[in-house]
């Protein structure tokens, strides 16, 4: 099946690569930007920018200042000085990023490709274009402006109680990398002769791209993938002793690992009502109580239960007394664990635990590192 799908996709890849290369030549951009063709979601914003850039004959670089124009609204707003241009570029893009984040989270209820991939890429590209609007800037300064835009956006989301510190910290690595990618492409574009209407048009396209993707995701959300986590430990006790502690355990000491101290939920104690299949198990966590129903009771070998209800997976770090970001309810789905006990000589036991869960946050490959 995979070989067939690859064979079917090759002609389309060839056509796409050829057309993109021709377009890059027509707008006089470096051909190595063809690599963006293969980046999901980001390539859509890239195609949109290529679509609004006009084709042109070779122009004399000496006419650069005349081509850029001095009488546009952006030229009146953005200072000539590098520091002033950087400040204004961030000031213009930051409200757009905050509004798009609010739209994704509050209106569409989506934590996906539009929010975590398209938005940081477009913000990085837009800030670099605005920063280099008056005159071409260096690559390092363009990247710095793009990254600083994302950092300030994260701070603004925490200040506005939209998100907590921990969630923003988790999203920062992928957001900053994508913003730097957008900033590098913005550097290439702003380093060529630009007509006065090109930058505003490109900025408008970049502003509209993330909300469009967010809306498309909300209309047709992708199916969440099921993950399996398996852990085994050897215990110096007989299976019968381990079984009793497994179904119900007394209060545990608080963990001292940094991740739990930052707010990730951890177990405190558990109790069980009844015995056998259908018994009700309650597991108290730092954020609330899991209600679990026993599905398999093979004492003292196999115990399996499903999750009927769950508390939030974490408590957000925030300067306010408490916030409830949308992703804390209904986006992380633990389905339940299964425990298998194997007796060993010398009254020892191998306890193997397997759990299954889903999460509705994309891109899945990145967020699985955290979940």
């Amino acid at each position: 099946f995979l070989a067939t799908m690859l064979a079917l996709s090759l002609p389309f890849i060839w056509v796409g690569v050829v057309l993109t290369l021709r377009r890059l030549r027509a707008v006089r951009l470096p051909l190595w930007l063809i690599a963006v063709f293969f980046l999901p979601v980001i390539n859509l914003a890239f195609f949109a920018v290529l679509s609004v850039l006009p084709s042109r004959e070779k122009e004399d670089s000496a006419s650069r200042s005349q081509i850029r124009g001095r009488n546009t609204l952006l030229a009146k707003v953005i200072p000539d000085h590098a520091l002033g241009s950087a400040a204004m570029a961030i000031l213009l893009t930051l409200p757009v990023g905050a509004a798009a984040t609010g739209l994704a989270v509050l209106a569409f209820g989506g934590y996906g490709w539009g929010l975590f991939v398209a938005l940081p890429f477009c913000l990085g590209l837009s800030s670099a274009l605005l920063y280099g609007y008056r005159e071409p800037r260096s690559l390092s300064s363009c990247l710095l402006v793009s990254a600083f835009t994302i950092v300030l956006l994260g701070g603004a989301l925490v200040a506005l109680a939209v998100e907590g510190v921990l969630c923003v910290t988790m999203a920062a690595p992928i957001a900053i990398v994508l913003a730097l990618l957008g900033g590098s492409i913005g550097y290439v574009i702003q380093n060529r002769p630009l007509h006065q209407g090109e930058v505003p048009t490109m900025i408008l396209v970049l502003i509209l791209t993330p909300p469009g993707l967010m809306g498309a995701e909300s209309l047709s959300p992708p199916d969440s993938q099921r993950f399996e986590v398996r852990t085994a430990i050897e215990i110096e006790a007989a299976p019968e002793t381990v079984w009793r502690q497994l179904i119900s355990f007394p209060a545990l000491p608080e963990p001292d690992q940094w991740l739990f101290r930052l707010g990730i939920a951890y177990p405190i104690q558990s109790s069980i009502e009844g015995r056998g299949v259908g018994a009700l198990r309650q597991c108290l966590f730092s954020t609330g109580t899991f209600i679990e129903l026993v599905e398999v009771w093979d004492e003292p070998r196999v115990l399996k239960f499903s999750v009927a209800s769950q508390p939030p997976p974490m408590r957000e770090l925030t300067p306010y007394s408490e916030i409830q970001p949308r992703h804390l309810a209904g986006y992380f789905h633990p389905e339940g664990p299964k425990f298998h006990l194997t007796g060993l000589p010398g009254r020892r036991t191998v306890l193997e635990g397997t759990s299954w869960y889903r999460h509705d946050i994309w891109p899945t490959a990145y967020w699985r590192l955290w979940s």
Side-chain angles (χ1 to χ4, degrees):
F1 173 77
L2 293 177
T4 303
M5 294 303 295
L6 178 61
L8 290 173
S9 66
L10 288 177
F12 297 96
I13 294 175
W14 178 78
V15 171
V17 168
V18 169
L19 290 176
T20 306
L21 284 173
R22 292 180 64 181
R23 188 66 187 143
L24 288 170
R25 289 193 184 99
V27 299
R28 295 172 57 197
L29 287 176
L31 298 185
W32 59 262
L33 289 177
I34 188 62
V36 183
F37 174 86
F38 298 96
L39 299 179
V41 180
I42 292 176
N43 55 12
L44 300 179
F46 183 61
F47 297 154
V49 170
L50 288 182
S51 299
V52 300
L53 283 173
S55 303
R56 62 188 63 202
E57 301 294 332
K58 290 187 177 294
E59 295 166 333
D60 185 1
S61 60
S63 64
R64 184 190 301 273
S65 61
Q66 181 180 355
I67 293 174
R68 286 183 180 264
R70 296 290 177 179
N71 297 318
T72 63
L73 179 60
L74 282 178
K76 296 176 181 179
V77 172
I78 300 176
D80 283 319
H81 191 273
L83 186 59
S85 296
M88 188 55 65
I90 295 173
L91 187 63
L92 292 175
T93 53
L94 198 57
V96 174
T101 303
L103 183 67
V105 174
L106 303 177
F108 294 136
Y111 292 85
W113 291 90
L115 177 62
F116 293 118
V117 176
L119 182 60
F121 174 79
C122 290
L123 288 179
L125 178 50
S126 299
S127 59
L129 288 174
L130 291 171
Y131 175 54
Y133 181 72
R134 296 302 293 264
E135 61 179 82
R137 310 293 183 182
S138 66
L139 175 60
S140 59
S141 61
C142 286
L143 295 180
L144 185 62
V145 168
S146 298
F148 204 57
T149 300
I150 296 300
V151 172
L152 287 181
L153 175 60
L157 295 178
V158 173
L160 295 172
V162 177
E163 292 291 349
V165 175
L166 192 54
C167 180
V168 169
T169 302
M170 290 178 180
I174 184 174
I176 291 177
V177 168
L178 291 169
L180 292 175
L181 177 60
S184 62
I185 295 177
Y187 159 77
V188 173
I189 294 176
Q190 61 91 44
N191 205 35
R192 62 195 282 280
L194 293 171
H195 290 293
Q196 64 180 22
E198 290 183 22
V199 172
T201 305
M202 284 187 283
I203 297 295
L204 180 61
V205 168
L206 293 172
I207 289 175
L208 295 177
T209 297
L213 292 172
M214 295 169 186
E217 283 184 300
S218 68
L219 293 175
S220 181
D223 295 330
S224 56
Q225 183 178 349
R226 189 174 191 244
F227 299 114
E228 179 182 287
V229 180
R230 183 171 298 176
T231 306
I233 185 173
E234 186 174 318
I235 303 173
E236 295 290 338
E240 293 79 10
T241 304
V242 175
W243 177 271
R244 290 194 296 271
Q245 294 293 320
L246 189 62
I247 61 175
S248 177
F249 55 85
L252 302 174
E254 288 192 10
D256 55 5
Q257 291 90 344
W258 64 270
L259 194 62
F260 298 115
R261 290 186 177 275
L262 290 177
I264 300 297
Y266 57 86
I268 297 177
Q269 66 181 42
S270 73
S271 61
I272 191 166
E273 298 177 9
R275 296 177 63 84
V277 175
L280 183 69
R281 186 173 184 267
Q282 298 186 50
C283 193
L284 176 63
F285 270 64
S286 57
T287 57
T289 302
F290 275 93
I291 305 297
E292 303 156 341
L293 298 176
V294 175
E295 294 184 340
V296 177
W297 182 289
D298 183 10
E299 185 176 355
R301 290 181 292 271
V302 180
L303 176 67
K304 183 177 186 295
F305 48 83
S306 59
V307 175
S309 65
Q310 66 179 83
M314 58 186 286
R315 182 178 288 111
E316 274 287 11
L317 284 175
T318 174
Y320 305 99
S321 59
E322 185 180 0
I323 62 171
Q324 292 294 328
R326 197 160 181 169
H327 63 82
L328 293 186
Y331 288 82
F332 179 76
H333 313 283
E335 297 182 354
K338 178 181 180 181
F339 295 98
H340 191 274
L341 294 78
T342 304
L344 299 176
R347 298 184 63 79
R348 292 176 296 126
T349 303
V350 172
L351 174 62
E352 181 181 80
T354 305
S355 62
W356 296 269
Y357 74 94
R358 302 174 186 269
H359 67 70
D360 297 329
I361 304 179
W362 291 270
T364 301
Y366 176 77
W367 285 104
R368 190 185 180 188
L369 300 174
W370 296 101
S371 63

